[in-house]
């Protein structure tokens, strides 16, 4: 059994007005986590919208203009993240960004990187009202994917997707032991919805869920001006785990600067609950459909 060190960021949306400064920002942030032993590093949903900082003030203050404006920087962002993962020999999920696809639709995309480079990406499956009605972000078309990594099989559920049981159940059926849950919520109610959903998914599937939120205020950004949420690792409430299912959690739901939640867990102890736990929710899942 080996303890795995995880890093989830409570991410302050800063105004960074040049690409060069952004490179220093992200490089320094990842370095902080790696210095503390992290082998897996997670940033939140829409962390990629910080790329709007170098745009002129009028463009970055316009919701649709900022989304369109960052598109030329997406390839460089992917290359930077790939380089960081390779350099530090880590698994890096740098949050998500709206990415323009060849069909003319924007999708909320989370890339995953490992020591050997780009592993793949996961698109958000179910859009919030804000994304559907104001942003014009389209749903992902390819379902949920289990990614093979040196740390085991990982899945990604972006924010709202954590509130839908079958998405996590699908990942569990694909052998995932840890779900990464990058999120972006502007109210405590939204943060609690993600938290309750993530805890329920951990309980139902007897897996772990690592959550990274945006936090603090960013008046310069029309999309990310207000942010609330705590970074956390959620587990089933069972033998050897915290009774409330919160394995680790940051102290506050707002921050003045980006803050890392660093925690260690042996995923074998979570996996073992499926056969030796007080309950067998994963085994008993099909029984609910017979009533």
């Amino acid at each position: 059994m080996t303890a795995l060190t995880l890093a989830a960021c409570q991410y302050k949306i800063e105004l960074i007005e040049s690409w060069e400064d952004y490179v220093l920002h992200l490089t320094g942030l990842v370095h902080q986590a790696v210095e503390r032993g992290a082998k897996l590093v997670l940033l939140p949903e829409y962390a990629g919208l910080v790329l709007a900082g170098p745009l002129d003030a009028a463009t970055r203050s316009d919701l649709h203009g900022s989304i369109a404006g960052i598109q030329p920087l997406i390839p460089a962002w992917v290359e930077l993240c790939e380089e960081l993962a390779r350099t530090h020999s880590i698994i890096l999920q740098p949050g998500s960004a709206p990415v323009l696809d060849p069909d003319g639709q924007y999708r909320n995309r989370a890339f995953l990187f490992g020591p050997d480079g780009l592993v793949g990406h996961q698109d958000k499956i179910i859009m919030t009202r804000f994304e559907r009605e104001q942003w014009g972000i389209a749903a992902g078309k390819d379902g949920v994917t289990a990614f093979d990594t040196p740390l085991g099989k990982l899945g990604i559920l972006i924010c709202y997707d954590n509130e839908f049981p079958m998405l996590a159940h699908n990942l569990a059926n694909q052998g995932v032991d840890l779900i990464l849950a990058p999120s972006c919520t502007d109210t405590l109610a939204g943060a609690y919805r993600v938290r309750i959903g993530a805890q329920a998914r951990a309980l139902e599937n007897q897996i772990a869920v690592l959550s990274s939120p945006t936090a603090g205020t960013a008046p310069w950004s029309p999309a990310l001006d207000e942010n609330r949420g705590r970074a956390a690792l959620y587990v089933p409430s069972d033998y050897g785990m915290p009774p409330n299912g919160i394995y680790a959690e940051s102290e506050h739901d707002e921050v003045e600067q980006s803050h890392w939640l660093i925690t260690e867990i042996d995923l074998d102890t979570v996996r073992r609950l499926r056969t030796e736990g007080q309950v067998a929710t994963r085994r008993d899942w099909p029984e609910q459909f017979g009533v």
Side-chain angles (χ1 to χ4, degrees), residues 238-239 271-279:
D238 210 325
Y239 291 133
R271 193 179 298 111
R272 193 163 55 244
L273 296 175
R274 298 170 201 162
T275 55
E276 302 176 17
Q278 293 174 303
V279 293

Side-chain angles (χ1 to χ4, degrees), residues 1-170:
M1 293 184 288
T2 304
L4 172 62
T5 303
L6 310 174
C9 194
Q10 246 186 321
Y11 189 59
K12 169 72 173 180
I13 303 299
E14 299 181 36
L15 175 57
I16 303 169
E17 297 187 82
S18 75
W19 168 252
E20 292 75 18
D21 285 342
Y22 176 79
V23 171
L24 293 174
H25 159 78
L26 187 59
T27 300
L29 199 60
V30 170
H31 182 69
Q32 289 174 16
V34 171
E35 275 196 320
R36 296 174 63 183
K39 296 300 182 183
L40 185 150
V41 175
L42 175 64
L43 275 77
E45 179 185 33
Y46 287 125
L49 279 175
V50 171
L51 295 171
L55 304 175
D56 63 85
T59 302
R60 70 181 178 228
S61 64
D62 176 77
L63 181 62
H64 296 284
S66 61
I67 292 173
I70 69 169
Q71 296 309 305
L73 289 174
I74 296 293
W77 182 55
V78 169
E79 185 177 338
L80 170 62
C81 295
E82 187 169 20
E83 180 184 344
L84 289 171
R86 288 182 185 273
T87 298
H88 296 293
S89 193
I90 58 172
I91 301 299
L92 172 62
Q93 204 297 287
S96 73
V99 176
L100 183 62
D101 274 339
D103 64 0
Q105 298 283 340
Y106 288 102
R107 291 185 172 84
N108 185 355
R109 182 158 297 160
F111 295 96
L112 186 68
F113 304 89
D116 295 324
L118 179 64
V119 177
H121 72 263
Q122 176 67 60
D123 290 342
K124 190 172 185 176
I125 303 299
I126 303 174
M127 299 299 107
T128 61
R129 288 193 64 186
F130 190 73
E131 287 170 306
R132 292 174 194 261
E133 298 168 16
Q134 298 184 47
W135 288 37
I137 307 291
K141 299 186 296 183
D142 300 323
V144 291
T145 300
F147 299 101
D148 288 305
T149 79
L151 304 181
K153 280 196 174 184
L154 308 177
I156 302 171
L157 292 180
I158 302 173
C159 200
Y160 193 40
D161 283 349
N162 286 277
E163 299 178 37
F164 296 89
M166 294 309 297
L167 298 180
H169 185 67
N170 189 333

Side-chain angles (χ1 to χ4, degrees), residues 250-269:
S250 51
E251 294 182 9
H252 307 287
D253 53 68
E254 289 188 278
V255 292
E256 294 300 321
Q257 60 184 13
S258 294
H259 175 77
W260 286 109
L261 175 73
I262 308 288
T263 189
E264 287 188 358
I265 190 169
D266 182 353
L267 291 177
D268 282 342
T269 63

